[in-house]
C-alpha cells in the first residue's frame, strides 16, 4: 500500500490505522492524520504514545484521548489545557495538583466553563474563577457555591456578562426585578430561562428583553404581545 493511499484512508476514519501495514503505522505523518480524525486511534500506533506533537493533535479532536498516552502527559499543563478545551471531564481524572492550582483553573475555565465542576471545591466560592467560567458558559453558575448563587451583587455582575446565567441563580434573585432587568438587557431570552414568570407581564422587563432579542416577545404574556410600544421596537 502506498503512503498517499494510507493518508486518504485515515483521513476518512482514523481507526483504520489499525489495518495498515506495520511500516505505515510508524510513519508520523500518517499517525498525525489519523489522530486528527480520531484521537483514540493512537492505540494502533503505540510507538508514538510519548510524542507530544501527536498527543496535542489527538486531544484537540477528543480530550479524553489524553488517557491513552504516556502518563507523563497528565502532568503537562499545555496538553491538559488543550484536552480540557475539548472535554472538561478530563480535569476530573487528570493530575490532582491541577485541581487546586488557581492559575491553572483560571485558564481552564476560560477555555471551558464546565471545568469549574471538576475543580477543587474551594474554587466554587471564588468569585473571579466563577465569573470567568460563566463568561465562557452560563451553565457554569450551576456548579458555583450556593452562597454565590444567592449573592445579589455578584449575580448582578454575572448577568451583565451573561444574562442566561440567571437560570442558575437562586430563586429569590430570579424574582428580583433589578437582577432580571440586567439579565434581559444582556440576553433577551432570559425572560424565558431564569426570570420568574411574573415578569412576562412586566412591560418594562419585556421591553428590554425584546430590545435585546426580538424573539423574546414569544415568551411575553399575551397581553403584551400586541402592545404598540413593544411592537415598535421590533
Amino acid at each position: 500500500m502506498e503512503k498517499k493511499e494510507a493518508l486518504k484512508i485515515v483521513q476518512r476514519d482514523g481507526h483504520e490505522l489499525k489495518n495498515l501495514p506495520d511500516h505505515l503505522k510508524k510513519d508520523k505523518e500518517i499517525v498525525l492524520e489519523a489522530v486528527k480524525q480520531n484521537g483514540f486511534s493512537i492505540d494502533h500506533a503505540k510507538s508514538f504514545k510519548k510524542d507530544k506533537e501527536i498527543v496535542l493533535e489527538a486531544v484537540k479532536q477528543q480530550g479524553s484521548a489524553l488517557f491513552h498516552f504516556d502518563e507523563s502527559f497528565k502532568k503537562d499543563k499545555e496538553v491538559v489545557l488543550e484536552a480540557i478545551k475539548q472535554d472538561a471531564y478530563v480535569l476530573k481524572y487528570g493530575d490532582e495538583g491541577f485541581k487546586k492550582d488557581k492559575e491553572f483553573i483560571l485558564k481552564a475555565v476560560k477555555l471551558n466553563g464546565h471545568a469549574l465542576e471538576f475543580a477543587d471545591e474551594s474554587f466554587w466560592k471564588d468569585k473571579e474563577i466563577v465569573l470567568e467560567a460563566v463568561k465562557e458558559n452560563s451553565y457554569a453558575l450551576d456548579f458555583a457555591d450556593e452562597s454565590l448563587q444567592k449573592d445579589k451583587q455578584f449575580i448582578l455582575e454575572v448577568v451583565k456578562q451573561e444574562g442566561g446565567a440567571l437560570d442558575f441563580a437562586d430563586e429569590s434573585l430570579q424574582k428580583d426585578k433589578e437582577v432580571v432587568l440586567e439579565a434581559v438587557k444582556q440576553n433577551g431570552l432570559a425572560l424565558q430561562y431564569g426570570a420568574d414568570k411574573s415578569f412576562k407581564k412586566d412591560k418594562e422587563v419585556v421591553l428590554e428583553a425584546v430590545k435585546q432579542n426580538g424573539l423574546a416577545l414569544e415568551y411575553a404574556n399575551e397581553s403584551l404581545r400586541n402592545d404598540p410600544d413593544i411592537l415598535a421596537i421590533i
Side-chain angles (χ1 to χ4, degrees):
M1 181 184 291
E2 293 184 0
K3 179 175 177 176
K4 187 176 181 180
E5 180 188 356
L7 283 169
K8 288 181 179 179
I9 289 173
V10 298
Q11 284 169 347
R12 288 195 301 269
D13 183 351
H15 267 312
E16 283 300 314
L17 182 64
K18 67 181 178 181
N19 297 320
L20 298 184
D22 287 344
H23 72 283
L24 293 178
K25 292 178 184 177
K26 295 178 181 178
D27 186 300
K28 185 169 181 175
E29 185 180 359
I30 291 174
V31 176
L32 268 174
E33 290 301 318
V35 299
K36 284 179 182 178
Q37 200 284 323
N38 189 315
F40 297 125
S41 63
I42 189 59
D43 285 340
H44 310 304
K46 295 181 180 180
S47 62
F48 288 100
K49 286 199 170 188
K50 292 186 178 182
D51 189 305
K52 186 169 180 176
E53 184 181 2
I54 297 284
V55 71
L56 281 170
E57 289 299 334
V59 300
K60 284 178 184 178
Q61 200 280 326
Q62 279 168 308
S64 56
L66 172 64
F67 304 113
H68 291 247
F69 285 87
D70 189 75
E71 282 290 314
S72 62
F73 291 117
K74 293 180 183 178
K75 295 184 179 182
D76 185 308
K77 288 187 177 182
E78 181 185 5
V79 170
V80 176
L81 283 171
E82 195 64 56
I84 287 172
K85 184 177 181 180
Q86 199 282 324
D87 184 356
Y89 208 66
V90 167
L91 183 59
K92 182 174 183 178
Y93 297 108
D95 185 77
E96 286 295 318
F98 289 148
K99 298 176 185 179
K100 296 183 179 182
D101 182 331
K102 180 168 181 175
E103 182 182 356
F104 180 85
I105 293 300
L106 199 53
K107 290 179 181 178
V109 298
K110 286 180 179 180
L111 293 171
N112 190 331
H114 279 271
L116 179 63
E117 180 181 6
F118 308 111
D120 185 75
E121 291 185 17
S122 62
F123 295 124
W124 299 353
K125 297 180 180 181
D126 188 306
K127 292 182 179 181
E128 180 184 11
I129 286 178
V130 173
L131 184 58
E132 290 298 336
V134 173
K135 284 180 185 178
E136 199 287 318
N137 191 317
S138 62
Y139 193 87
L141 185 60
D142 195 36
F143 308 125
D145 188 78
E146 190 176 321
S147 62
L148 290 187
Q149 294 174 347
K150 292 182 176 181
D151 184 327
K152 180 175 178 176
Q153 293 309 309
F154 178 68
I155 294 300
L156 276 170
E157 186 178 0
V158 165
V159 297
K160 286 177 182 178
Q161 299 287 336
E162 178 48 73
L166 180 62
D167 199 23
F168 307 101
D170 186 74
E171 187 177 342
S172 63
L173 297 178
Q174 295 175 349
K175 295 179 179 179
D176 186 302
K177 186 168 181 176
E178 182 182 4
V179 173
V180 172
L181 272 172
E182 292 298 339
V184 298
K185 285 178 183 178
Q186 198 285 324
N187 184 341
L189 298 184
L191 181 64
Q192 179 193 19
Y193 301 109
D196 185 75
K197 292 180 180 179
S198 62
F199 291 112
K200 293 183 177 184
K201 296 180 180 180
D202 188 307
K203 184 172 179 177
E204 183 182 6
V205 170
V206 172
L207 268 170
E208 292 297 339
V210 174
K211 279 182 187 177
Q212 199 285 321
N213 189 329
L215 294 176
L217 183 60
E218 180 182 345
Y219 307 110
N221 185 269
E222 191 174 345
S223 63
L224 292 176
R225 289 182 192 168
N226 294 311
D227 186 290
D229 295 329
I230 294 174
L231 293 176
I233 62 175
I234 296 178

